[in-house]
Amino acid sequence: MYHKEKSIQIKNSASALYNNLGVLRIAPRRLTYFTVVHANVVNMVSASWDGLNYSHRQLQSKEPNVATSTSLITQAAFCALPSRDLLVVTSQKGIQMYESDGSIMVYWHALDTPETATELLCVPAQAVFARGISAVCESYICVGLSTGAILVFDVPSKGSNITLSDVMEGHKESITDMASECCGGEVCIADLVSADDGGNLCVWQSGEEFKLLNHIPGFDISCSSVKLWKGTVVAGYGTGQIRLYEAVTGILHAEVNAHARWIYSLDIAPFSGLLLSAAEDSLVRVWHLTMTPESHSVEIAHLYNECVTDTQICGAKFCDGDGYAFAVTGYDLSEIIRYTQS
């Protein structure tokens, strides 16, 4: 079904982080942007569709008034809004937003660190970081925190006048991932889902004030990657399982023992209903999701396996909305491996 293409070399190897691959397709310029995180650096590659031209850029994690930063980056993800595309980078110190080509940083949000309080009270310091990034609706970008809170940023159609418009409280554990659904002008009841280290899922409705619609309890096993498709939450867990829930009611439609080890990444091609899953077991699997109108349930069928030998996969993304091609990264691997349909 898929065959391997020529790999794209990157400047540094990939860190062992959930969802450690960003992909943005720039159709008018016939380019695809890729991002991979290594420690405190984001490796960015711009690749032409004919495979002849590549350009590289490296983005460092930033700290106010510090020349060089040792703050570890936790995620880099492209956020595609109707009016603009941004690259969002999260770290132990804050949240950075760049123009999609990485050329200009348009916004910086520092995280509150409890260092002073912990020193005074002589209690162990808690890890502070941001992780989990998603563009939502027309003008919002949501970013999760280690506290379980979710920050909502209101993004203008151009310029750097980005504002923090809301802070959502629904989780008690660190956010691992978030995903939204583009409604295409339709009214969506649920258009954002967030996951945490305890496997808990929160389903939200966006707007001037975001509303918590549903809380789906976890099983004390981390939900490392989550997606939202046609009102269905698709969640991948540390057990190697994939679960499909109806977003608004929380009804479990399907549970699949998809991998032998921890799932690190999920992705959905929205136009075809193809689902990509990748895990520590060196396997990338492609599934097909179908909606049954009569029962309003979703069915999942397995289509394809690809073994990336001796590789702990940490990122996998479709390169287009139909699922014609996908890309994979692995821990300590200095390349992006691409596959296209035969």
Side-chain angles (χ1 to χ4, degrees):
M1 185 177 178
Y2 289 87
H3 67 272
K4 189 176 179 180
E5 296 280 0
K6 182 182 177 182
S7 295
I8 300 173
Q9 300 302 308
I10 53 179
K11 299 292 186 181
N12 301 104
S13 60
S15 295
L17 301 170
Y18 302 149
N19 310 298
N20 191 4
L21 178 64
V23 177
L24 180 65
R25 182 181 171 94
I26 311 294
R29 299 174 60 193
R30 300 182 65 80
L31 292 175
T32 302
Y33 295 152
F34 298 90
T35 57
V36 179
V37 173
H38 170 84
N40 64 335
V41 174
V42 177
N43 296 287
M44 187 171 183
V45 183
S46 172
S48 61
W49 290 1
D50 57 15
L52 298 178
N53 298 304
Y54 300 95
S55 64
H56 296 263
R57 185 190 296 271
Q58 289 187 308
L59 307 176
Q60 296 258 345
S61 62
K62 303 288 186 182
E63 294 180 38
N65 306 317
V66 177
T68 59
S69 171
T70 57
S71 174
L72 292 177
I73 293 174
T74 49
Q75 192 178 2
F78 291 105
C79 289
L81 294 166
S83 59
R84 68 192 298 190
D85 299 328
L86 293 177
L87 172 62
V88 180
V89 178
T90 58
S91 71
Q92 296 172 313
K93 295 293 184 181
I95 300 158
Q96 302 160 231
M97 297 188 188
Y98 292 85
E99 296 293 356
S100 59
D101 62 358
S103 60
I104 301 170
M105 187 169 70
V106 296
Y107 184 72
W108 157 258
H109 178 86
L111 298 182
D112 294 328
T113 55
E115 292 174 1
T116 306
T118 54
E119 287 172 5
L120 292 173
L121 298 173
C122 297
V123 295
Q126 299 294 313
V128 175
F129 57 87
R131 181 178 61 190
I133 303 164
S134 182
V136 187
C137 211
E138 297 294 319
S139 62
Y140 299 109
I141 290 178
C142 294
V143 180
L145 301 181
S146 52
T147 60
I150 297 172
L151 306 182
V152 181
F153 296 96
D154 195 344
V155 180
S157 58
K158 59 182 179 179
S160 59
N161 191 26
I162 298 169
T163 57
L164 177 63
S165 62
D166 199 0
V167 179
M168 301 190 293
E169 305 283 352
H171 294 271
K172 295 181 180 178
E173 299 188 53
S174 300
I175 304 297
T176 51
D177 195 24
M178 279 191 290
S180 65
E181 182 162 28
C182 179
C183 306
E186 300 176 11
V187 177
C188 283
I189 298 175
D191 53 10
L192 177 69
V193 60
S194 53
D196 68 25
D197 265 332
N200 303 288
L201 304 172
C202 286
V203 180
W204 310 84
Q205 183 179 32
S206 66
E208 290 187 9
E209 290 187 3
F210 280 63
K211 297 178 182 177
L212 178 60
L213 299 179
N214 191 16
H215 178 269
I216 301 172
F219 302 90
D220 291 326
I221 296 293
S222 182
C223 176
S224 47
S225 192
V226 68
K227 294 295 169 186
L228 192 57
W229 182 75
K230 294 188 176 182
T232 299
V233 175
V234 183
Y237 295 85
T239 56
Q241 292 179 316
I242 296 174
R243 296 193 186 102
L244 274 60
Y245 294 97
E246 186 175 329
V248 177
T249 65
I251 294 172
L252 179 65
H253 287 313
E255 183 178 73
V256 182
N257 294 320
H259 291 271
R261 298 189 69 180
W262 204 292
I263 292 175
Y264 262 59
S265 188
L266 296 177
D267 197 26
I268 289 179
F271 304 142
S272 61
L274 293 179
L275 168 68
L276 191 68
S277 64
E280 283 183 330
D281 59 5
S282 301
L283 288 174
V284 183
R285 290 191 158 135
V286 179
W287 314 77
H288 187 229
L289 304 177
T290 52
M291 179 71 70
T292 307
E294 296 80 13
S295 59
H296 296 287
S297 64
V298 175
E299 296 180 355
I300 181 171
H302 177 254
L303 293 183
Y304 178 77
N305 279 339
E306 183 69 47
C307 181
V308 187
T309 309
D310 299 328
T311 301
Q312 178 186 324
I313 300 170
C314 55
K317 283 276 189 183
F318 284 119
C319 300
D320 56 275
D322 294 309
Y324 175 75
F326 67 86
V328 174
T329 56
Y331 171 57
D332 213 22
L333 202 65
S334 298
E335 60 180 328
I336 299 169
I337 306 171
R338 293 183 297 172
Y339 298 87
T340 57
Q341 287 189 17
S342 304

